[in-house]
Amino acid sequence: MNYIPEMKLSENFQLKEFVASQTAERLKIDNRPGWEAVINLRNLCQEVLQPLRNYAAEPIHINSGYRCEALNEAVHGVGNSQHLYGEAADIHLPSLATGRRWYEWLVNHTDFDQLLFEYRRGGSRWLHLSCRRNKHENRHMAFPNYPVAPRRGNGGTEVRGASKEGAHAV
Ligand SMILES: [Zn+2]
């Protein structure tokens, strides 16, 4: 399949939003997804992200969507991450209060696999949400507080100013 950045996955989401990655750019990783992952991303948009977008009535920014193997390794994602299959996205939260409100709404109104309110000591937080193409496989696992280990630099100290994209374990 040819990669079409402007492809619409749902009314307010385009494929490129789930593919763009500073890390991939920096490391020259080709993060273009295959058609299977694109279909999963479209499903994620239609089932979870677009309904949230309609509820929020404001743009939803994707911190990290699809990750090929090389990119997932580069950002230290877990080995079986749903990001690898286009089944997951991490979204930016404009504020803690908004994040809580979105979380509650998603729990009560959408059919998801995992919904994790992830945070790292020091303040960064985001929502990880995932959805399976086969609805019957959705586990409806929701965690309102999901701590993620700090990123470690070579000297064992937390990496400061790391891109948001690097801020995920799942
Ligand atoms: Zn994630």
Side-chain angles (χ1 to χ4, degrees):
M1 171 193 122
N2 290 325
Y3 170 61
I4 306 162
E6 268 76 40
M7 179 190 279
K8 265 193 164 191
L9 300 177
S10 67
E11 193 184 343
N12 294 106
F13 292 96
Q14 289 184 331
L15 181 54
K16 63 182 176 187
E17 298 172 67
F18 297 83
V19 175
S21 158
Q22 287 175 3
T23 305
E25 233 170 80
R26 184 165 50 82
L27 301 176
K28 309 222 182 309
I29 294 170
D30 181 357
N31 193 45
R32 290 177 297 179
W35 66 271
E36 189 88 31
V38 173
I39 292 172
N40 288 338
L41 285 169
R42 191 178 58 184
N43 180 60
L44 179 68
C45 285
Q46 292 176 349
E47 294 293 327
V48 180
L49 284 167
Q50 187 64 45
L52 175 66
R53 171 68 176 76
N54 296 345
Y55 163 73
E58 63 177 288
I60 307 281
H61 298 286
I62 310 296
N63 283 349
S64 180
Y66 173 72
R67 293 181 212 150
C68 66
E69 292 275 357
L71 177 58
N72 194 52
E73 254 174 55
V75 301
H76 308 292
V78 295
N80 59 349
S81 171
Q82 287 184 285
H83 288 277
L84 288 166
Y85 310 104
E87 291 180 338
D90 296 341
I91 63 170
H92 169 74
L93 304 177
S95 72
L96 178 59
T98 302
R100 289 292 175 206
R101 194 161 51 80
W102 288 359
Y103 175 90
E104 285 304 319
W105 190 86
L106 286 163
V107 166
N108 292 311
H109 297 87
T110 60
D111 187 3
F112 57 86
D113 185 48
Q114 282 194 317
L115 177 60
L116 311 176
F117 197 107
E118 297 188 310
Y119 70 94
R120 178 168 279 137
R121 217 163 39 159
S124 76
R125 44 182 136 66
W126 61 95
L127 269 183
H128 167 98
L129 34 89
S130 73
C131 189
R132 308 233 178 183
R133 217 193 312 170
N134 182 351
K135 287 184 180 195
H136 304 294
E137 291 176 6
N138 279 334
R139 294 167 290 176
H140 303 110
M141 293 168 63
F143 293 93
N145 289 294
Y146 195 89
V148 172
R151 293 183 88 202
R152 299 281 170 188
N154 292 335
T157 51
E158 188 166 345
V159 177
R160 295 206 177 273
S163 71
K164 279 178 183 145
E165 179 181 41
H168 24 235
V170 185

